[in-house]
Amino acid sequence: MRNRLGIEARGTLELTLAMVLSGTLGVFVVESGASPFTVVFFRCVFGAVALGAYSLVRGFLTGHGLTPRTFGLAALGGVFIVFNWVFLFEAYEATSISFATVVYHTQPFFLVLLGALVLRERIGAAKVGWLAVAFAGLVLVSGVRPGDTASLKGLGFALAAAVLYALATIVTKRISGVRPHLIALVQVTVGIPLLLPFADFGEAARLGAGWGWLAGLGLIHTGVMYVLMYAAYAKLPTARIAVLAFTYPAVAMVVDWEVYGHHIGLVQALGVPLIVLASLRVTLAKPAPARAAAPAPRTEGHAPAAASPAATRSA
């Protein structure tokens, strides 16, 4: 029992550190001075170097368990992930880090809706109720007036990012027998040729100190942060993971206020606990009894399954 408590305590510390790092992501994006497509392109480059080096040192590239099917799914997830980052960073530019981050955390609800549409999963009355609560919270948080073009634009970008994240999660959940580090490595590597036509290298050449912020996004926020998250997921129950995940938006809001003086208004603040509560209730809800169905096809290898959906958060 004492050993188990020690393992969970270590996992709690690892995930908390990972979420604190996530909360500083927006500052790195803004301070780099680069456009969202350029930022994501170089995040993929530096992230691939970091995750590739870690996987090589740990021996994960041997007996990786990747098959044409799992590689294709990981690559498809990568398409959703990198454009999810682009839209989130566009939302930072249009509004503020705080606003974009809170709206972005409507991800669990899009996951539920897409699960119903794509996977024909049943949505119970309780989930519908919590979706309504989350929508009410979103309306309050947005505080958008019809003539407020910037906020409307930021809201749209953040919601688009949340939808893409949910799509990436649905795809990644279909992968088994492959270490999550390798799935993430495939995803960021796919992002390099995918975003190459959109990256502004003329802009990149003029960044100066901005290169340090770009390198940090790849090495710290994609390398170190993901390693911490994956280590923590193996040690913690789902309930603990779901609660600690909200360290990310909390830190992001504090950092945005401290660094840029941005903060959400009183009415907007009333919507935050509604989104947080509804998200936790949906995330921690017990799955409905599954109908009799043919077993899912098995994949090669016996490596750990893909990481929790939170693993690919904008983060």
Side-chain angles (χ1 to χ4, degrees):
M1 174 64 73
R2 181 175 298 176
N3 185 47
R4 178 61 190 169
L5 290 176
I7 291 173
E8 288 197 7
R10 182 176 175 182
T12 298
L13 177 61
E14 289 169 338
L15 189 55
T16 300
L17 287 174
M19 293 298 101
V20 169
L21 287 177
S22 294
T24 65
L25 179 79
V27 173
F28 279 69
V29 172
V30 173
E31 292 300 315
S32 73
S35 60
F37 275 106
T38 304
V39 170
V40 177
F41 174 78
F42 285 106
R43 182 184 187 181
C44 289
V45 171
F46 288 115
V49 171
L51 289 171
Y54 179 80
S55 298
L56 180 63
V57 170
R58 293 297 305 273
F60 295 163
L61 300 180
T62 303
H64 48 72
L66 285 167
T67 65
R69 175 183 175 276
T70 55
F71 181 86
L73 287 172
L76 177 59
V79 174
F80 294 135
I81 284 297
V82 297
F83 281 107
N84 145 75
W85 288 339
V86 169
F87 279 115
L88 180 61
F89 298 168
E90 289 279 8
Y92 289 163
E93 280 195 353
T95 54
S96 68
I97 295 170
S98 299
F99 178 89
T101 302
V102 172
V103 174
Y104 183 64
H105 271 74
T106 56
Q107 302 155 346
F109 314 112
F110 288 109
L111 186 58
V112 169
L113 293 173
L114 287 171
L117 292 173
V118 178
L119 304 178
R120 298 287 189 261
E121 293 178 348
R122 179 175 167 272
I123 303 180
K127 282 189 177 181
V128 171
W130 287 115
L131 286 170
V133 170
F135 180 76
L138 180 60
V139 170
L140 289 173
V141 166
S142 67
V144 176
R145 295 180 297 276
D148 192 352
T149 306
S151 293
L152 283 171
K153 186 178 178 182
L155 177 65
F157 281 140
L159 289 175
V163 171
L164 288 170
Y165 167 78
L167 286 169
T169 301
I170 287 176
V171 171
T172 304
K173 285 173 68 176
R174 308 295 294 175
I175 303 173
S176 62
V178 181
R179 290 186 181 274
H181 308 80
L182 295 181
I183 296 174
L185 176 57
V186 170
Q187 290 175 338
V188 295
T189 301
V190 163
I192 297 173
L194 185 65
L195 297 181
L196 183 61
F198 306 103
D200 187 339
F201 292 98
E203 173 191 52
R206 299 187 297 270
L207 287 180
W211 279 104
W213 297 100
L214 288 180
L217 280 170
L219 300 177
I220 299 173
H221 292 91
T222 310
V224 175
M225 189 180 73
Y226 276 19
V227 169
L228 285 171
M229 283 196 300
Y230 297 145
Y233 290 148
K235 302 180 181 78
L236 298 174
T238 301
R240 184 82 58 86
I241 292 172
V243 172
L244 290 176
F246 283 96
T247 304
Y248 163 34
V251 171
M253 293 171 72
V254 171
V255 169
D256 195 24
W257 175 62
E258 285 286 344
V259 178
Y260 301 113
H262 296 157
H263 59 84
I264 60 177
L266 178 60
V267 174
Q268 291 176 298
L270 294 175
V272 175
L274 295 181
I275 292 176
V276 171
L277 177 61
S279 178
L280 284 172
R281 296 294 297 183
V282 168
T283 302
L284 300 179
K286 293 181 180 180
R291 297 177 181 177
R298 299 180 63 182
T299 57
E300 295 178 9
H302 300 282
S308 161
T312 50
R313 256 175 201 165
S314 90

